[in-house]
Amino acid sequence: MSETRLRWGFGALSVFLLLTVMLVASSSNPAGGQEQRLAVKPQREPIRVGGNVQESKLVHRVEPVYPPEATAARVSGVVILQVTVNEAGDVSAARVLRGHPLLDGAALEAVRQWRYSPTLLNGEPVPVIASVSIAFQPGLRLAIDELGNVQEPSAGAQDGDVTRKLNEANGVVFISPHPRVPFRVLEESLRALQKAGAKELRFTGPYTFREGRLYYTVQAPEIQAPELALETERLAAVAKNSGRVESIPFAGDGRRVLLYQLFVNEVGEIAGLQQVRGPQIPELEAELLRTRAISPGRRGLEPVPVAVLVEIPVN
C-alpha cells in the first residue's frame, strides 16, 4: 500500500512540474512565438551597387591582421571580396572573388566587422551587394598595451628596434591598441610614434589620428556623436553654385552626395575636416569649418574629441 502511494505521489509531482513549465513558457511568449517572428525584419533581395559607391558609405573599417605565414613568405597583394550589407549597414555575408590562400581568411575576418551607413531606396533602407578590395601592404604591425608601451607582437621589439623598422616600413603603421589603454596615454604614444617616423597610422579600433590629435569615431557603442547645427540645404546650395555638380559622384540611391569627415574637439570646436568623397569645393569646406557645434561628443558624461561623417546630398 505504501509503495502504491509513493508511486502515485511521484506521478502527481511529475504532472505538477510539467504543467508549471508549460505555464511559464506560455506566459513568457503568450503568442506562441508570434512576437519573435514579428521582430524579424522581412528579407529583401539585395540591390547591386558599385564598389566606389559603397566605399563612400563605409563608417567603420577594421584593418586585417597580416597572417604570420604570409609575412614569413613575403606574400602581399589585394584580396577582392563580394559583401552583402543589410539594412542596418552590417556585413551579413562575404566571400572571396580573387585573392591568395594565405591572405583570404584574414580579409574575410576583417571585412565582416565593417559597418556602413544604410543605403536608402525611396527613403527606405535596403540591403546591397558590392565588391570591396583589401590591400595587404608591407608595413609595421604594432600593439600598444594598457600602459601605453609600444610593442611589435611578432618580435617583441624594443623602442630602438621599432624606430629602425619604421624607416624600413616607409612610415606605414598598423596599430592595435589595448581596449583598456587610457585615451590620453594612447594619444601620447601615437605622438611619439609620429615623432619617430610614422607617417600613416591605421587602427584596429574606434580611433583616427589627425595632426597630432586622437579622435574617437562614433562606431564605439559608448561614444555619443557631437550635435552639429548643419544647414544642409544651404551647404547643398553652395555646392551647386560652385559649378562642380557634374563631378559629384552618385550614391547608391541615385543622388549626388558629398561626404566629409569633421573633427570635433572636446570643447565643441571644428578642428578640421577631411574630404572623403567628391571634388574639392573650397567655399563649401570653409562653410563646414564654420559649423556650430551645439554640444561636443561624449563618452558617458565626459566630453571627448570625435570624428563624425557628414553627408551633403546635392540633388
Side-chain angles (χ1 to χ4, degrees):
M1 184 69 176
S2 59
E3 183 178 351
T4 302
R5 289 179 178 174
L6 186 60
R7 287 178 180 175
W8 170 255
F10 276 124
L13 180 60
S14 300
V15 172
F16 174 76
L17 290 174
L18 178 61
L19 290 174
T20 302
V21 170
M22 293 174 64
L23 180 62
V24 171
S26 62
S27 65
S28 64
N29 192 4
Q34 182 180 4
E35 183 179 354
Q36 184 177 0
R37 287 197 297 272
L38 289 175
V40 177
K41 193 175 182 67
Q43 294 292 321
R44 294 191 181 193
E45 191 67 25
I47 63 173
R48 186 172 292 276
V49 299
N52 290 337
V53 171
Q54 195 60 20
E55 183 180 2
S56 70
K57 291 180 166 291
L58 185 63
V59 297
H60 178 58
R61 178 187 176 102
V62 173
E63 294 295 335
V65 177
Y66 218 121
E69 316 86 68
T71 303
R74 299 190 177 182
V75 171
S76 61
V78 176
V79 177
I80 300 176
L81 309 100
Q82 177 181 287
V83 298
T84 302
V85 181
N86 65 20
E87 293 91 336
D90 300 317
V91 175
S92 58
R95 67 184 182 94
V96 175
L97 300 178
R98 190 173 74 238
H100 189 284
L102 293 180
L103 304 175
D104 293 348
L108 285 167
E109 185 177 351
V111 81
R112 286 172 180 146
Q113 301 176 66
W114 291 8
R115 290 189 60 197
Y116 295 85
S117 58
T119 297
L120 302 179
L121 183 63
N122 298 325
E124 292 290 327
V126 294
V128 298
I129 292 177
S131 297
V132 300
S133 300
I134 295 185
F136 286 82
Q137 317 174 290
L140 185 59
R141 267 76 184 168
L142 296 177
I144 298 180
D145 68 19
E146 55 190 314
L147 299 178
N149 299 315
V150 178
Q151 301 169 342
E152 186 183 7
S154 60
Q158 299 301 315
D159 288 348
D161 295 323
V162 168
T163 302
R164 175 178 58 80
K165 291 183 179 183
L166 277 171
N167 295 326
E168 295 174 356
N170 295 319
V172 179
V173 187
F174 298 88
I175 304 290
S176 296
H178 192 283
R180 291 195 295 271
V181 59
F183 185 86
R184 294 303 178 194
V185 172
L186 176 58
E187 185 175 58
E188 287 301 320
S189 298
L190 296 173
R191 287 174 179 164
L193 280 173
Q194 195 173 53
K195 188 175 180 180
K199 299 174 183 176
E200 182 180 350
L201 299 176
R202 301 185 182 183
F203 293 91
T204 298
Y207 304 104
T208 187
F209 192 72
R210 182 181 185 274
E211 296 181 354
R213 288 298 312 271
L214 182 65
Y215 295 84
Y216 283 109
T217 55
V218 294
Q219 290 70 46
E222 70 274 17
I223 299 302
Q224 178 183 340
E227 185 179 357
L228 303 177
L230 284 169
E231 299 179 41
T232 308
E233 292 185 4
R234 186 172 66 84
L235 293 171
V238 172
K240 290 177 183 178
N241 293 334
S242 70
R244 306 291 305 276
V245 173
E246 294 303 317
S247 58
I248 298 173
F250 288 99
D253 55 5
R255 301 177 303 164
R256 294 184 186 271
V257 177
L258 293 162
L259 188 63
Y260 290 89
Q261 188 172 41
L262 295 185
F263 297 88
V264 185
N265 64 23
E266 58 270 38
V267 297
E269 299 170 337
I270 309 297
L273 63 79
Q274 180 176 334
Q275 180 187 6
V276 179
R277 182 171 182 265
Q280 282 193 327
I281 305 178
E283 55 269 42
L284 176 60
E285 294 176 6
E287 289 293 331
L288 281 169
L289 288 172
R290 286 194 286 268
T291 299
R292 182 174 63 89
I294 299 172
S295 62
R298 294 183 182 276
R299 186 175 187 269
L301 298 177
E302 178 190 6
V304 293
V306 177
V308 62
L309 288 172
V310 173
E311 282 190 351
I312 304 173
V314 178
N315 62 351

